[in-house]
Amino acid sequence: MTDRVSRWLVFVVLLGLPSVAAAQGASGSNPDAQSIKVGGTIFYDYTYTREPKSTDADGNRISPNAFNVARAYLNITGTLSHVVSFRITPDAKRETGIGSSLNGSLTFRLKYAYAQFNMDDWMPAGTQIRVGIIQTPFIDSQEGVYRYRFQGTVFAERDGGMSSADAGVSIKTPLKGNYGDVQVGLYNGEGYSKAESNDQKSIQLRATIRPLPNAEGPVRGLRVTAFYDADHYQQNAERRRFIAAGMFEHARLNAGVDFMVGRDQPSVSVPVTDSKGVSFFVTPFFHEKGNGWEGLFRFDHWDADTDVAGTQNRIIVGGAYWFPHPGGSATAALLFDYERVSYADFAIAPARQQRFAVHGLINF
């Protein structure tokens, strides 16, 4: 069944591409101005780990602390016509491979590299097809509301094992009347940092609804999302994620809640593992969004195996200052935060984690 759906999705998406090329050829000329833009994103921090303690080379018990550059993106975007555009984003990430000669170094790798086909001439305005290393549907939509990825990844990625980008093809189309949008994609399923390891593909579907987009008052900022990821580790060894989410945007705060369930079977020779969890966040604005002081509170609860005792709880509390940026789109922020990860009901519980940090963001 999955193979038939995969072949159908690829056929539908690729069927639209020749029509794009044909329409451009028929026009005889391209009146659109071409452009290329360069931007960047930097995540930097100083982190003090209170727990767990570590041991240095002489056997001393220490609290690890370090200055870090967690991520550094170089964004190159371009427009070739009103139909065709592209994005290339190399990402600097710490190499941690044991035995690698680059272990500990910041190395460049591709985070995004895709062609985008804007289908406004043939489909509802705003419809896009992307091919290459592209964003996955759920995390990309959530990070437009939760703007603190520079503190750490979102719940679906950090605990759910999902990736924010992968190689594949997707199509996104808006619903009429600003009632939301729908996105479906076919991906390798291994994430952008790994090569495809089998013949299985991940089919990901997200539907986001704005119930009252034209209403007066706070309800206008409400949106609800359903997301499903159907994949396999190997043939007949399933990997599934379902997320039901609600998000709220207002002049005074952003907030969201996710309920996620998963099913994993890395091999047909091992039992299926079911997981579930919930996460919510609120970011109040003391002046206005992206200008001045903001608060951050987030709570994640995760049960990695519902058949075995033991759950994990994460609390993130912080205060952020977003520097004013009059007349420009570049942003800069500093976040002072505390993170605690605790464990309950385990037969042998992992060590509790506590970290104090200053996280910084530059985006231009």
Side-chain angles (χ1 to χ4, degrees):
M1 177 65 180
T2 301
D3 288 343
R4 289 199 298 270
V5 174
S6 300
R7 289 193 293 268
W8 178 85
L9 179 60
V10 172
F11 173 76
V12 169
V13 173
L14 296 182
L15 186 64
L17 300 186
S19 65
V20 174
Q24 285 184 293
S27 66
S29 62
N30 179 15
D32 302 328
Q34 297 185 351
S35 65
I36 294 179
K37 298 180 181 179
V38 177
T41 301
I42 303 172
F43 297 168
Y44 61 96
D45 68 89
Y46 171 77
T47 300
Y48 170 81
T49 301
R50 183 176 180 181
E51 294 182 285
K53 301 291 186 181
S54 186
T55 304
D56 66 15
D58 283 341
N60 301 303
R61 296 280 289 170
I62 63 170
S63 295
N65 61 91
F67 295 95
N68 305 290
V69 174
R71 310 298 288 267
Y73 299 158
L74 181 65
N75 292 311
I76 304 171
T77 58
T79 298
L80 304 184
S81 71
H82 75 285
V83 173
V84 183
S85 56
F86 67 87
R87 176 178 177 177
I88 302 172
T89 302
D91 166 28
K93 177 67 174 175
R94 184 76 63 187
E95 170 64 54
T96 58
I98 297 175
S100 169
S101 63
L102 297 176
N103 188 16
S105 300
L106 288 171
T107 58
F108 254 18
R109 61 181 180 179
L110 277 179
K111 178 66 181 287
Y112 305 114
Y114 60 79
Q116 176 174 304
F117 301 91
N118 304 308
M119 306 299 289
D120 296 13
D121 291 349
W122 308 274
M123 301 178 70
T127 301
Q128 301 172 345
I129 295 173
R130 289 178 176 176
V131 184
I133 301 177
I134 57 180
Q135 296 92 338
T136 52
F138 179 76
I139 294 175
D140 183 52
S141 69
Q142 187 180 55
E143 288 182 347
V145 180
Y146 181 80
R147 298 172 300 118
Y148 287 90
R149 184 181 181 85
F150 65 98
Q151 190 280 332
T153 52
V154 298
F155 177 57
E157 186 172 0
R158 199 181 304 198
D159 294 321
M162 295 171 54
S163 178
S164 58
D166 201 353
V169 56
S170 75
I171 182 169
K172 180 171 71 173
T173 188
L175 301 178
K176 189 175 180 180
N178 198 31
Y179 278 92
D181 66 305
V182 175
Q183 184 174 0
V184 60
L186 182 67
Y187 301 85
N188 283 340
E190 312 302 329
Y192 70 96
S193 61
K194 299 178 181 178
E196 175 64 295
S197 61
N198 53 42
D199 63 344
Q200 304 299 302
K201 293 293 178 285
S202 168
I203 300 173
Q204 301 185 24
L205 172 65
R206 176 189 57 80
T208 297
I209 305 296
R210 293 179 178 269
L212 299 166
N214 302 311
E216 298 293 333
V219 293
R220 183 175 184 176
L222 178 65
R223 69 178 79 173
V224 292
T225 295
F227 170 80
Y228 185 63
D229 178 6
D231 194 7
H232 290 80
Y233 289 92
Q234 320 291 339
Q235 290 187 21
N236 303 315
E238 60 185 338
R239 176 167 54 191
R240 301 279 190 268
R241 295 293 182 274
F242 172 76
I243 302 175
M247 288 183 285
F248 179 70
E249 294 181 276
H250 185 266
R252 304 306 304 174
L253 61 87
N254 283 356
V257 59
D258 302 341
F259 175 74
M260 177 169 56
V261 295
R263 171 161 285 198
D264 295 271
Q265 188 181 24
S267 170
V268 294
S269 62
V270 300
V272 172
T273 299
D274 291 317
S275 55
K276 66 178 181 179
V278 64
S279 171
F280 69 86
F281 71 87
V282 59
T283 58
F285 314 136
F286 299 111
H287 179 55
E288 62 180 357
K289 178 180 177 180
N291 183 10
W293 286 100
E294 298 183 8
L296 168 64
F297 178 81
R298 172 174 153 186
F299 174 76
D300 302 339
H301 173 78
W302 181 241
D303 186 347
D305 188 341
T306 58
D307 292 329
V308 177
T311 59
Q312 172 189 288
N313 295 312
R314 177 184 296 106
I315 295 175
I316 301 172
V317 180
Y321 184 76
W322 292 76
F323 293 89
H325 49 92
S329 59
T331 56
L334 285 176
L335 170 68
F336 306 87
D337 63 279
Y338 167 73
E339 178 176 345
R340 186 186 72 186
V341 182
S342 58
Y343 304 88
D345 301 324
F346 281 87
I348 302 177
R352 185 173 66 174
Q353 303 173 32
Q354 291 191 78
R355 286 180 286 271
F356 297 88
V358 180
H359 286 90
L361 166 70
I362 298 289
N363 187 69
F364 61 95

